[in-house]
């Protein structure tokens, strides 16, 4: 008799294949769910594999548009970067996948979900916090935290690890090595509205994209071709360990640079300062797996509000691992050429600056000679 | 054969007495540790009780001075308040007790510590984070998180709870009900140096105290007599539950008001603003049990640095549940009567304010008619 | 020939009467504008005075409802407090008055506005930043910053100052001295929706108010009767001076305490933490005169969003200068009695706390013996 | 008869030469001060020029070491970046120059200082706030804010501007265009202690530098050769205007990347988070000219404290405008390979993560069916 139904976040790889089989051994009916979020994968053969291993049903779903529109674009608005460097690619994908996972579980009346994330990482947290947020009674089976499982499969893990890491040059899948990148830059124009890209144009080629997924794929392609967005960092996991991470985020890096530029061009200085703090907080929450939390909802709302005037076009060139901003224009710009010009005063009276500076220095004057008293 | 030695944070009450017996039943040698942090307790009878229940050793130690000097005074410097209202009394006591607990465990070569905090509260976290920080290999036995224990004693718990809470008017131990407080205020002068009180004088009586513990006890007495520092709040526990808390912090409330006053009088405005943020962060850490964390160390250092010029005397009256600031004086004051006077200009030229204001309004001018572009 | 028309923020007092006359002497047509924001004033006699002094027109307008609804209530949502103590009464009134001032100036085609705020204070900034924000071409005449004016009237100023301050016990206009307050508390119930009060009930009397202005006036009356909300502080002005301020905010103090309570009861912990930071920033902006700035707009929007579930009733007693929270209830409460109870586990497994605590301590473990390297 | 002595911050260029002459015309004795902070300048000919124009004395001083040690290195510790992009080169130089300027003024008993910064920029503020902080009675003559001066010289300004900007490719003085940079990277190892570099080694060449100024010049050279650190941005000036800035900071960019890396490797996660906020605040202060303010002192102290364990070596390659981190090692690392390894559990029990996650989700559970009440 079945212990119940588990929906497993299936990757098609050895790890989650082992888990699928083990879950069946334990007496569960297993539904495999494989999300397409843009990874390089043979989905048909993954489906067959899951079926052959005994999955009762297999769901393979293309979440790419939803991933770009509902997760990546808000992160672009936020200039989301964790610990000054990490652009949060995986961290954004996890709640997208987990949301669908629990939707399937609810539809299929499964009490359980399972995943292949390890017991020391961030992904287990991201999967499970999303699951608890959206399906509060769900029960989670995390085999890499269950001694019977991990003691048995540790050996295989060693093997897999070894196999995966033997060739560090193969670590990067999307980006070329910058020294193999073309000697001629690509020049792009990215148009934003409400802080999100609405059109990407290759200036020389004259071609353009205007659907979120297409734009993002195109930026990944161009960024990848020029070796943009590779980092090798040590980061602080939510559970308090430091770990090394090697990431590539070609399209995200281009979008971050372009968005930072148009945002500073069009957003009031003090709003920007407050929003910068909210963006840092948002990035920590996303990293830690709190996408579906009340505070993340609140920040998403506030950040989106801040983007109302973030509109215009940024021209940039992509070359040898770098993104160079060439210029920007906007109907909502707060940049006032006349005001800033050294030769026109506009409405601005330079004499005012004297008072401004002196008042800013008022605090500096200490009284030295006397005890002060107020009663 | 013994399973090893446990040092138990013993309160003398029914709860930890049950735990003592249960730990012995489980095969441990038990050392009872009872800290005197100022609570109303018959320590001799508690010692006998522990011995009768089978404690191998009983340590009763007076931590009051250390509690005031190393925990309360830094909190005064920080204006530590959790969620705008709670003055963190218990939260500050826990790391003080737990530090001594693990020192005893190390001295007595005990592998284990135990405590009577429940599995839903903050105190378990405060005890254990301190213990792990100072004795990283320690093993914690938390009976209220162990099903065999809590399923067995739940009934008794109900009983105790009932007994303890039947008379809510008795909830307050240190403070009089304000409507029973004297009709004549006490007027105090509190002298600060480096942001901590160094002398408390009762202005009418002419008496004074200058040792930390004595000052603090005296402020508790005066505050208690006038019904100062009672609150009935809902707070957010670290583990994410909301709970109701009823607290009394008479001395702490007087110190907070006095310190806030002398601090604003002597500290630069912008330093104050930064320090205010650090104090809020510090309060959250203390509440959550992170006293012995790297970040709390860092904040303690920074906050202490900010207090270098927080020096002077504050006069205040304590009356019917309230603290009224009457005045303050300081040799380090940044208050400059001449500068602020409406009839003397001092070094200040009022005309400068025009420029100051106009420059602050520069941002408000939007260009309306044109698209702006920089390339 | 007239130099043009000035709209003067007229108070009816000696100060702005002098200014009115002086402006006429300088060749301006003067329109006097006197706002009723709840102060104790004989408006008819003020009108006659202004007319007698030569005002071309006199506008006297009741801004009380607008002041309460558009300025005070958002400050209640924000828990707005400057430097931990000042409830910003005057700071909130200034943009309300200045907004109407420039509306009149625009309607009357006046190029100029004028006010009686001194050159060292905050009010000049609050008036003028609002004016520049809403009427960007307006010209400001601030006589207390103009040497010909202030050198001539300095003597009078001395006199006025002296007259006003001779009797410090008269400083408080709205609040009784707590020791003359009644010996019997008033018990109120305040109902909130969206973080603003919608009904105030006197529990014993059974009477209630539900219009913003009426509620606020009633809370001022009750608070005043019990001596609530008096403070004597030193504060940091925007221009960098410290100044002493003596304030009374009876109604505001009651609302702050009640709102803090219902907010913590109904708002998610982490949203609360972010919102607390936004509220502090908002308070600084309001104090400094930036009500009509892009960043204050942004914060008002965000803070309002945070209040969606801040709903319910708070019971409190007002007695001898204090506000005591007695209890609260809410249909949107996040307080879960079952969850928090020591005797019911609900969905919460206390064993989970062990893992929670241990994972929080992972960071504490340093490796001691070796140099670490990642390449 | 002389109006007194002015010390002029002299650049050797047309602008400050005009000012020198104009100040003499106005009746001042002029002392010219020209600081060497590493710019490309013929100091001898500048001295002659100033003498020929009538300077009473000329001081030319090499402030390069002091600039690197006392200004740049603290900025490295802070990861100082303004508005996410600008590395604050000029902003750091101004207080260094102004400090020496007022020291000379005090030594030479000059009442006045003067500079050639415009009335719309940041540099006037940076110069003057430093001057007022260190020499509170100093009088500032800022000709570009004096109508008689700027109306007369506006035409020349136009000319100069035109001349200077005709060839935008010449804008960059220190950095090569990335597409003209070498095809072979330089590989560097930078050793840090207390968060500042103490040794820079060119790994292939085997050569190294260990004096602050030499290290910094060498990093500028290497970075410049590979086109590192060019940005074209719009930034928000302190006075509220947006302006376009084109900057090159080759050495600073390398140091920022290397420091970020070793800092994250060696600093506790939560300390890092607090310090990140302090660094952002510090960057704003530096940008705005508040280097010699109480709050900047305070932040410098706190940030320096945070760097106690920021120690170790970072390997990086510099290539085609980019800095790539290759690896890092440290005796103070908090990175624990065993702890993080997927195949060793170390002291970490993966099961703890289940409790950790579930407790983090406690907040998500709302009670749905009932009104909650605490009284």
């Amino acid at each position: 008799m079945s212990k119940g139904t588990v929906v497993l976040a299936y990757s098609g790889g050895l790890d989650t294949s082992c888990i699928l089989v083990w879950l069946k051994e334990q007496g569960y009916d297993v539904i495999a769910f494989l999300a397409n979020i843009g990874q390089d994968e043979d989905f048909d053969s993954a489906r067959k594999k899951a079926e052959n291993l005994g999955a009762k049903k297999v769901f393979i779903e293309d979440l790419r548009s939803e991933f770009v529109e509902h997760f990546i674009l808000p992160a672009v608005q936020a200039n989301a970067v964790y610990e000054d460097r990490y652009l949060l690619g995986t961290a954004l994908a996890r709640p997208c996948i987990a949301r669908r996972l629990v939707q399937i579980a609810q539809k299929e009346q499964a009490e359980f979900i399972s995943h292949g994330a390890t017991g020391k990482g961030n992904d287990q947290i991201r999967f499970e916090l999303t699951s608890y947020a959206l399906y509060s009674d769900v029960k989670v089976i995390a085999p890499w935290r269950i001694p019977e499982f991990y003691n048995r499969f540790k050996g295989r893990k060693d093997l897999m690890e070894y196999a995966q890491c033997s060739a560090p040059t193969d670590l990067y899948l999307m980006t070329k090595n910058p020294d193999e990148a073309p000697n001629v830059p690509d020049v792009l124009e990215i148009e934003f509205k409400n802080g999100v890209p609405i059109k990407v144009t290759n200036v020389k080629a004259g071609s353009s994209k205007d659907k979120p997924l297409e734009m993002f794929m195109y930026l990944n392609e161009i960024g990848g071709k020029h070796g943009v967005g590779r980092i090798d960092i040590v980061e602080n996991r939510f559970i308090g360990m430091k770990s090394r991470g090697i990431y590539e985020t070609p399209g995200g890096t281009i979008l971050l640079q372009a968005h930072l530029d148009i945002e500073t061009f069009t957003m009031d200085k003090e709003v920007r300062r407050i929003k910068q703090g909210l963006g840092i907080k948002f990035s920590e929450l996303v990293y830690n797996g709190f996408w579906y939390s009340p505070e993340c909802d609140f920040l998403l709302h506030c950040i989106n509000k801040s983007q109302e005037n973030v509109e215009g076009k940024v021209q940039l060139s992509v070359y040898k691992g770098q993104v160079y901003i060439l210029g920007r224009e906007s109907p909502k710009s707060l940049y006032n050429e006349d005001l800033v010009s050294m030769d026109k005063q506009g409405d601005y009276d330079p004499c005012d600056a004297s008072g401004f500076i002196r008042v800013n220095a008022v605090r500096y004057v200490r009284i030295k000679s006397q005890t002060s008293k107020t009663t």
Side-chain angles (χ1 to χ4, degrees), chain A residues 80-256:
Chain A
V81 180
Y82 180 68
E83 293 190 338
D84 293 311
R85 296 187 289 181
Y86 171 45
L87 268 69
L88 294 162
T90 311
L92 290 163
R94 292 304 171 238
C96 177
I97 297 169
R99 177 171 67 167
R100 191 68 198 125
L101 185 73
V102 295
Q103 283 169 348
I104 291 172
Q106 285 172 316
K107 203 181 57 181
E108 299 289 322
Q109 293 181 302
E111 277 180 275
F112 302 91
I113 58 157
S114 183
H115 60 73
T118 72
K120 290 177 168 177
N122 294 306
D123 283 341
Q124 57 176 342
I125 309 176
R126 295 165 185 159
F127 270 124
E128 296 176 30
L129 286 180
T130 296
S131 301
Y132 290 131
L134 302 180
Y135 180 7
S136 63
D137 297 327
V138 76
K139 295 199 182 68
V140 175
I141 301 172
W144 286 112
R145 297 200 305 256
I146 299 174
E148 305 92 82
F149 182 88
Y150 67 70
N151 288 328
R152 177 162 155 209
F153 287 93
K154 215 161 40 168
R156 297 192 184 216
K157 190 84 185 170
D158 293 340
L159 215 69
M160 292 184 298
E161 290 301 299
Y162 182 76
Q164 271 173 16
C165 296
S166 56
T169 53
D170 290 332
L171 271 176
Y172 293 107
L173 301 169
M174 301 162 77
T175 54
K176 268 207 183 160
N177 197 325
D179 65 13
E180 294 161 14
N183 289 316
V184 180
D186 274 288
V187 176
L188 304 179
E189 180 177 87
I190 305 183
E191 185 172 352
F192 287 88
K193 201 166 163 58
N194 289 321
V196 298
I198 55 166
K199 189 173 184 183
V200 174
T201 306
N202 187 315
V203 174
K204 289 178 202 160
S207 58
S208 68
K209 312 280 177 191
D210 60 8
K211 307 236 169 355
L213 176 58
E214 281 176 18
M215 286 190 287
F216 191 69
M217 286 172 66
Y218 184 68
L219 291 172
N220 266 339
E221 177 195 325
I222 293 291
K225 166 180 156 194
H226 291 282
V228 162
R230 293 179 164 199
I231 52 167
D232 173 339
I233 64 172
V234 167
E235 74 197 59
N236 287 295
R237 290 188 186 161
F238 186 20
I239 57 165
M241 292 171 187
K242 290 187 187 290
S243 71
R244 189 187 189 187
I246 292 173
Y247 300 103
E248 52 183 348
T249 327
T253 301
I254 298 172
L255 279 174
L256 173 64

Side-chain angles (χ1 to χ4, degrees), chain A residues 271-285:
Chain A
V271 175
R272 190 197 188 286
R273 191 180 294 196
I274 296 167
K275 188 258 172 180
Q276 183 182 8
L278 299 181
I280 290 172
K281 181 70 193 159
F282 172 79
S283 306
E284 291 167 3
L285 290 173

